[in-house]
Amino acid sequence: MTRIIDGKAIAAAVGNRVREDVAALAAAGLTPVLAVVVATDDPGATWYVRAIGAAARRLGIGCHVHDLGPAASAAAITGLLAELSSDGRVHGIICQTPLPPAVPPGLAAQQIAPIKDVDGANPQSLGMLAAGMPGAFPTATAAAVAEILDHEGAVLEGRRAVVVGRSTVVGKPTALLLLARNATVTICHSRTEDLAGVCREADSLVAAAGRPKLIGAAHVRPGALVIDVGISSVGTTGGVAGDVDTGTVTGIAAAVTPVPGGVGPVTTMQLMRHTADAARDLAG
Ligand code: NAD
């Protein structure tokens, strides 16, 4: 039997811990504040910003949305991020993507101070993570994958983990977190030969390619834990699909995350956790 992992339940458990942390900080006179910088009218981004605001409200975290509009200049975005980085009332900062095409990739994220970079967007945060240095946050999505594997009791130490996708948002930071848990990690990408054969070595398989149904029965070792990060729009009615063809891996995988309802809700809660942690760290 293949278990369908309940991402919403894991998110609720993370949320309960964050709520307790936030209450303790509030008792000491500190309310964590997350600043969300938006320079897009992308519907997915709009939906996510609303979800972040709702989660923050439920947990007692302040959430300030700074909407600069989709035509914002690079100077306006970088200027605001630099200002928020030095604003003592702000503890966490995220800059929603996509950014306007005129903004050079990576430029905006570099303005976010690593101690407030709660979605691991600054390349410096990724470098600190790679170097095993404290004080940097992984992306919320990578943290969510690790949280789900921990929650499921995945044995990572000494075992094989395969991550499909090498982006700086998901693939690379996820691989680093699994490496930090002493897994033997392989990263696959669009040029990988024999993807199915490499994936079949995995005790824990993380799919983050953004290719619906890329991962099927031929990719999954019997008893593997499969984490599906992919979210692709399908059809014309707002449906989404993951990277895993869940029907074909059922009966082979030990457990698999659904899409939606798997990694997504845990990601939002990890962002809240990072914001509370940043507030505590900044307060010393
Ligand atoms: P990306 O496009 O930046 O990277 C995709 C990666 O997959 C690349 O490294 C590419 O080499 C690899 N890839 C593409 N086709 C492949 C193939 N056929 N075989 C092997 N590898 C292949 O995307 P991303 O930002 O890393 O996001 C990946 C997916 O995760 C998307 O569907 C995205 O929507 C989703 N996502 C989910 C969350 C969440 O919280 N649930 C957060 C971020 C991204």
Side-chain angles (χ1 to χ4, degrees):
M1 254 315 266
T2 299
R3 251 175 330 103
I4 302 296
I5 297 170
D6 186 348
K8 287 184 186 161
I10 298 173
V14 174
N16 286 338
R17 293 202 296 274
V18 176
R19 192 179 289 106
E20 283 172 17
D21 287 353
V22 170
L25 290 169
L30 179 62
T31 299
V33 170
L34 173 66
V36 183
V37 175
V38 184
T40 177
D41 54 9
D42 176 80
T46 305
W47 180 89
Y48 189 46
V49 170
R50 259 204 301 270
I52 290 170
R57 262 192 307 280
R58 283 201 303 276
L59 301 181
I61 290 174
C63 179
H64 302 165
V65 177
H66 302 261
D67 193 345
L68 298 175
S73 67
I77 297 167
T78 55
L80 177 58
L81 290 169
E83 193 185 309
L84 293 167
S85 287
S86 54
D87 185 337
R89 295 162 300 183
V90 173
H91 309 104
I93 303 170
I94 69 164
C95 181
Q96 196 55 52
T97 56
L99 286 169
V103 182
L107 178 71
Q110 287 177 58
Q111 308 304 318
I112 304 175
I115 196 166
K116 298 185 179 183
D117 186 19
V118 289
D119 202 19
N122 189 332
Q124 212 180 319
S125 298
L126 186 60
M128 289 167 77
L129 191 66
M133 290 168 67
F137 294 101
T139 63
T141 306
V145 173
E147 176 70 30
I148 293 171
L149 287 169
D150 289 347
H151 186 271
E152 290 299 307
V155 180
L156 293 165
E157 180 147 343
R159 307 288 274 274
R160 306 296 296 262
V162 173
V163 179
V164 183
R166 60 176 164 182
S167 73
T168 53
V169 177
V170 192
K172 282 180 188 149
T174 299
L176 290 170
L177 290 181
L178 302 183
L179 193 59
R181 286 162 169 75
N182 297 317
T184 299
V185 182
T186 303
I187 302 178
C188 297
H189 47 78
S190 53
R191 309 278 177 89
T192 297
E193 290 183 5
D194 187 18
L195 181 69
V198 180
C199 289
R200 266 200 315 275
E201 292 175 3
D203 300 295
S204 296
L205 176 61
V206 180
R211 299 282 179 274
K213 299 194 174 182
L214 175 69
I215 304 298
H219 299 74
V220 177
R221 167 190 278 198
L225 272 172
V226 181
I227 309 297
D228 191 353
V229 184
I231 311 174
S232 303
S233 303
V234 287
T236 51
T237 52
V240 291
D243 287 357
V244 178
D245 189 355
T246 309
T248 68
V249 310
T250 299
I252 304 173
V256 61
T257 57
V259 178
V263 175
V266 186
T267 297
T268 310
M269 280 304 157
Q270 290 298 334
L271 195 62
M272 298 300 127
R273 169 186 274 184
H274 291 173
T275 303
D277 288 350
R280 191 182 315 101
D281 292 350
L282 280 158

